[in-house]
Amino acid sequence: MRMLAIVSYDGTNYAGYQVQPNQTTIQSTIEAALRQIHKGERIKIVASGRTDAGVHAIGQTFHFDSHLAIAPANWKKALNALLPKDIVIKDVTPVADDFHARYDVRQKTYRYVVLNAEDLDPFTRNYSYHIKRHLDIEAINQACSHLLGEHDFTAFCAANHNVKGSMVRKIYQARCVKEANRVTFTFSGNGFLYNMVRIIVGTLIEVGLGERTSDAFRDIIDSLDRSYAGKTAPAQGLYLQEVQYKEKRS
């Protein structure tokens, strides 16, 4: 039976999601728990996508196949009993045998958190990007409006990407909200390129600091040139918020 799981994790102490030699990753940790449940048999998980070292997830998803007759609620209990406290399975649901956690994605939502304050908060340093200078939220949202719709986002993709197909993606939501000294960016789309959200945020921060205009931001999209965009924002402020699928999971 194929199962779809929703997992939340703190990426601080992991070398990203994907399995890497001699590194502790989210995937390797979850697969180790599944191997224990299956008495040493290796069970591979397939996620909706990768997250880099230091990136967090609130609603990452993955599927796996198992021959064990375990109720969905008991899968959740069994996995959480074996996983470290910074990785938590939130739900496990049976899905069709041809369901694919990556290829059946309809929409992903990412959140990026900035601490816009004079002093660094030692308690949130691993969960936000600290910016001292005042950010112009109105200017940022004006720039965000240029992201909406379908565009070629080559300018916002890391130069060392391995994307072989189209660089066109459709963005449904792009906005920025400030509450007290916490600035939250939210992006929803049908897909995202490698480092796309972090490069967009890094560039939008430059708009918020008055170093670029909203029109200049639009020109970056049109340029299709990564060198025109801003720096890549650091990993610790990024969260994979939610993954939605084309059809019901069960």
Side-chain angles (χ1 to χ4, degrees):
M1 180 175 290
R2 180 157 291 185
M3 310 297 291
L4 174 67
I6 300 175
V7 59
S8 178
Y9 53 79
D10 175 347
T12 303
N13 296 318
Y14 296 88
Y17 167 81
Q18 189 178 26
V19 169
Q20 298 181 47
N22 305 314
Q23 297 282 347
T24 300
T25 68
I26 301 297
Q27 181 182 359
S28 64
T29 303
I30 295 173
E31 288 183 351
L34 283 168
R35 189 160 54 247
Q36 283 187 259
I37 294 171
H38 289 80
K39 308 298 184 184
E41 179 185 354
R42 185 184 176 190
I43 303 295
K44 183 180 179 181
I45 66 174
V46 178
S48 68
R50 309 170 187 174
T51 54
D52 289 337
V55 174
H56 315 293
I58 297 169
Q60 170 70 290
T61 56
F62 65 87
H63 80 250
F64 65 95
D65 295 328
S66 176
H67 55 78
L68 299 179
I70 299 177
N74 291 335
W75 269 117
K76 176 180 174 179
K77 291 178 182 177
L79 283 165
N80 284 330
L82 295 170
L83 289 168
K85 295 187 184 299
D86 53 5
I87 302 177
V88 176
I89 303 298
K90 300 169 71 175
D91 184 57
V92 181
T93 307
V95 289
D97 291 344
D98 61 351
F99 174 88
H100 198 284
R102 178 181 177 188
Y103 299 131
D104 288 342
V105 171
R106 178 176 65 84
Q107 177 175 305
K108 284 187 180 181
T109 298
Y110 283 92
R111 180 159 57 92
Y112 195 97
V113 178
V114 169
L115 174 65
N116 193 200
E118 176 67 25
D119 298 318
L120 174 69
D121 181 352
F123 301 106
T124 64
R125 72 191 188 282
N126 292 324
Y127 310 103
S128 62
Y129 177 25
H130 179 222
I131 300 289
K132 286 186 177 183
R133 293 164 56 194
H134 171 74
L135 291 171
D136 184 339
I137 305 304
E138 183 178 352
I140 289 173
N141 278 314
Q142 287 176 352
C144 280
S145 68
H146 297 305
L147 294 167
L148 299 175
E150 196 168 73
H151 304 280
D152 185 322
F153 283 102
T154 299
F156 293 108
C157 182
N160 61 335
H161 70 83
N162 59 1
V163 179
K164 296 178 181 178
S166 172
M167 306 288 273
V168 173
R169 299 292 185 272
K170 189 170 186 178
I171 301 300
Y172 307 117
Q173 177 184 205
R175 63 186 177 92
C176 179
V177 176
K178 185 173 184 179
E179 297 177 331
N181 59 9
R182 179 187 174 100
V183 175
T184 304
F185 296 82
T186 304
F187 305 97
S188 297
N190 64 357
F192 293 86
L193 302 170
Y194 181 48
N195 280 171
M196 178 172 159
V197 174
R198 290 168 58 192
I199 297 170
I200 287 175
V201 170
T203 311
L204 287 172
I205 285 172
E206 294 179 5
V207 173
L209 293 173
E211 297 170 357
R212 297 179 189 259
T213 66
S214 175
D215 287 345
F217 184 85
R218 179 194 57 213
D219 293 342
I220 293 168
I221 300 174
D222 295 339
S223 75
L224 306 183
D225 189 335
R226 170 66 185 94
S227 67
Y228 284 26
K231 294 180 180 178
T232 305
Q236 75 270 13
L238 183 61
Y239 300 75
L240 173 52
Q241 178 80 29
E242 183 183 18
V243 181
Q244 297 177 16
Y245 288 95
K246 298 174 183 178
E247 300 177 358
K248 291 183 179 180
R249 299 195 303 262
S250 59

